[in-house]
Amino acid sequence: MPKSTSERRPRTLPEENGASQWPLWEVFSQGEGGAPHEHVGSLHAADAEMALQNARDVYARRGPVVSLWVVPSAAITASPSDEAGPFFDPGADKIYRHPQFYKVPRGLKGF
Amino acid sequence: MNQQTTDPSEEALNAAFEARIAAGETIEPKDWMPDRYRTQLIRMMSQHAHSEIVGMLPEGNWITRAPSLKRKMSLIAKVQDEAGHGLYIYCGTETLGVDRAELVDQLLTGKAKYSSIFNYPTLSWADMGVIGWFVDGAAIVNQTVLAKASYGPYARAMIRICKEENFHKKQGYEIVATLARGTPEQKAMVQDAVNRWWWPSIMMLGPSDANSPNTAELIRWRVKRKTNDELRERFIDLTVPQAQAVDLTLPDPDLKYNETTGHWEHGQIDWDEFWAVVKGNGPCNRERLQARRDAHEEGRWVREAAEAYAEKHQRAETSNAA
């Protein structure tokens, strides 16, 4: 999952076992029938091609998947979680954006 | 206690966190959480991820000797799934601010634990059936509950895993049922596997509640939603009728149905054996760790080659752009 820049730790490579940390990628998959791409998980890969192949092998093992996106996790900017209240507030109190806010004449059948 | 817990702002954050947990809210990676919640999750999730990876070894042992192409394909698919499960949970653990390389290092150096069950040997083909039936069966019981864990990335990984584990359990039970109605030798082979795997399988759900120091805290934080003994009871209730249906005997003379509670009750569990295996002295602990170290070492050139390839292409792209 993406972290905000301040939270991201410096890359540390434990050299004793030779494991270097490939960049992290977020995987989005699209199912059949015009569904939108949805986040399904993440993985490490050296480059985009490898990320895509590994995403297919891990996150599309049992169809039906018609499309995959892989995005470097570092490229994602996320909304602030500690200010989620004020950040999303503008959409929370506007009941007039919903159809239930409006009245139609009594007795009207079908709308 | 450290200074942080006496800090008033820390106390307020803590109270808000506890309130969110009590309200059944899901905690996400960027949300504030107590250090203890984070470290407990890192411990539990990384052990779980290691178990998926080490769990590939006992079954990998039989891929080349599967009795038919169909069984071989199923077994390969199952072992591949376990690798994927390890990956889901490692990635989930990384959202808590720990690097996968660090976690792998803890496994390879023996600092981290993994499920006790994978330190038992797979002696016959029937073990492939019984592992799917018992071990994956027990894992499903555990993971179905973890799919409601308070930490979002863990819960989501569990939901993906549970969908795949059902195939694992069913293919295992099919192997068991086939052998159970086969020749007398096949029936004896599968009964032997049941006898060897039953007790380790009910132990794998963890120490009994009286001796599980982490349970109360994890339940309060809604990471765990059921105690080890509750999970064990659920697993046994599900499994007894399945054993009866294929005419196999579970090796517990004290196993009996309690009419009042509606549950099966098991005999005395040999917890000394469990703790010996957890502490590194099971039949295969050293072999399993060595196999992981060898695999990691032998895969080194692949990791280095992929990195060199990625760097070369990165350089080419940069110079083209210039």
Side-chain angles (χ1 to χ4, degrees):
Chain A
M1 289 296 288
K3 300 168 190 168
S4 69
T5 317
S6 59
E7 277 176 287
R8 207 177 298 125
R9 294 148 36 100
R11 268 177 42 158
T12 48
L13 313 178
E15 286 300 330
E16 62 270 34
N17 65 30
S20 66
Q21 191 83 312
W22 290 335
L24 193 62
W25 303 73
E26 300 301 322
V27 182
F28 298 81
S29 102
Q30 183 184 34
E32 280 178 342
H37 283 76
E38 267 186 15
H39 183 249
V40 287
S42 46
L43 50 78
H44 289 277
D47 59 20
E49 188 187 356
M50 185 183 184
L52 208 46
Q53 285 173 354
N54 289 354
R56 175 200 59 197
D57 292 347
V58 179
Y59 292 105
R61 281 177 65 66
R62 293 169 174 84
V65 174
V66 297
S67 168
L68 279 175
W69 292 344
V70 290
V71 182
S73 307
I76 294 180
T77 306
S79 60
S81 66
D82 49 348
E83 292 159 40
F87 188 80
F88 293 107
D89 186 49
D93 60 351
K94 296 179 175 57
I95 49 169
Y96 51 87
R97 289 179 178 175
H98 296 273
Q100 299 91 311
F101 183 72
Y102 300 91
K103 293 183 180 67
V104 293
R106 226 179 255 267
L108 178 67
K109 282 193 188 136
F111 184 78
Chain B
M1 287 279 113
N2 56 26
Q3 285 182 319
Q4 283 185 322
T5 48
T6 56
D7 180 346
S9 66
E10 184 91 1
E11 268 173 35
L13 286 167
N14 214 22
F17 175 83
E18 295 288 349
R20 291 189 64 199
I21 293 279
E25 285 185 31
T26 302
I27 307 301
E28 293 294 341
K30 296 198 302 165
D31 297 349
W32 187 90
M33 61 187 84
D35 285 347
R36 175 81 182 158
Y37 179 84
R38 188 183 299 275
T39 51
Q40 281 284 51
L41 271 170
I42 290 174
R43 181 190 60 82
M44 186 171 166
M45 290 173 71
S46 62
Q47 279 182 16
H48 196 159
H50 299 326
S51 301
E52 300 285 352
I53 299 301
V54 178
M56 296 162 75
L57 298 169
E59 291 178 294
N61 180 34
W62 279 91
I63 288 176
T64 55
R65 293 174 287 165
S68 69
L69 187 57
K70 177 189 155 190
R71 295 290 188 219
K72 189 172 182 164
M73 288 192 305
S74 305
L75 190 56
I76 292 173
K78 178 180 190 298
V79 172
Q80 286 173 338
D81 279 352
E82 309 293 4
H85 296 177
L87 183 137
Y88 303 157
I89 311 173
Y90 279 130
C91 284
T93 317
E94 284 188 299
T95 63
L96 292 158
V98 59
D99 284 337
R100 187 176 65 184
E102 227 171 296
L103 301 174
V104 170
D105 192 58
Q106 288 170 3
L107 172 67
L108 298 183
T109 55
K111 263 183 257 164
K113 301 255 183 292
Y114 55 86
S115 179
S116 57
I117 193 81
F118 302 117
N119 291 312
Y120 289 85
T122 44
L123 303 180
S124 77
W125 168 252
D127 290 23
M128 297 305 98
V130 173
I131 286 180
W133 177 27
F134 285 173
V135 178
D136 290 271
I140 291 169
V141 166
N142 183 34
Q143 291 166 345
T144 308
V145 181
L146 286 175
K148 297 180 205 112
S150 58
Y151 189 55
Y154 198 19
R156 290 192 285 273
M158 289 303 111
I159 290 166
R160 290 193 73 82
I161 288 176
C162 284
K163 284 184 193 160
E164 301 185 340
E165 295 277 16
N166 284 326
F167 140 62
H168 297 178
K169 180 179 173 185
K170 214 167 165 195
Q171 65 87 36
Y173 190 63
E174 189 192 278
I175 292 172
V176 167
T178 306
L179 292 171
R181 60 168 188 268
T183 64
E185 290 80 5
Q186 287 171 328
K187 174 97 193 259
M189 180 168 78
V190 72
Q191 181 62 60
D192 170 65
V194 165
N195 294 348
R196 284 182 290 108
W197 287 96
W198 174 251
W199 289 105
S201 298
I202 65 171
M203 288 179 201
M204 83 175 252
L205 290 158
S208 108
D209 298 349
N211 293 307
S212 179
N214 292 309
T215 293
E217 186 177 55
L218 291 171
I219 291 217
R220 187 168 59 82
W221 276 330
R222 300 194 189 213
V223 174
K224 290 178 83 158
R225 310 296 294 259
K226 296 240 190 279
T227 69
N228 296 345
D229 287 336
E230 287 170 335
L231 295 171
R232 196 164 9 252
E233 181 175 75
R234 168 92 180 132
F235 169 69
I236 296 174
D237 285 347
L238 286 170
T239 310
V240 172
Q242 292 163 1
Q244 290 168 340
V246 289
D247 196 25
L248 289 167
T249 312
L250 298 173
D252 179 357
D254 297 325
L255 188 67
K256 59 173 189 298
Y257 188 70
N258 183 328
E259 295 282 353
T260 321
T261 61
H263 295 294
W264 286 87
E265 289 170 359
H266 58 80
Q268 191 63 40
I269 293 176
D270 181 359
W271 290 113
D272 290 343
E273 175 182 326
F274 174 77
W275 291 113
V277 177
V278 168
K279 286 176 181 146
N281 298 312
C284 300
N285 293 58
R286 276 168 281 272
E287 184 186 330
R288 299 292 184 237
L289 265 192
Q290 195 54 49
R292 285 311 314 153
R293 289 190 194 115
D294 292 346
H296 195 74
E297 212 37 55
E298 285 160 20
R300 182 190 294 273
W301 71 270
V302 179
R303 296 191 294 276
E304 288 173 356
E307 210 155 314
Y309 180 84
E311 268 170 31
K312 188 177 87 179
H313 280 255
Q314 186 70 42
R315 274 202 306 276
E317 265 174 44
T318 317
S319 61
N320 282 350

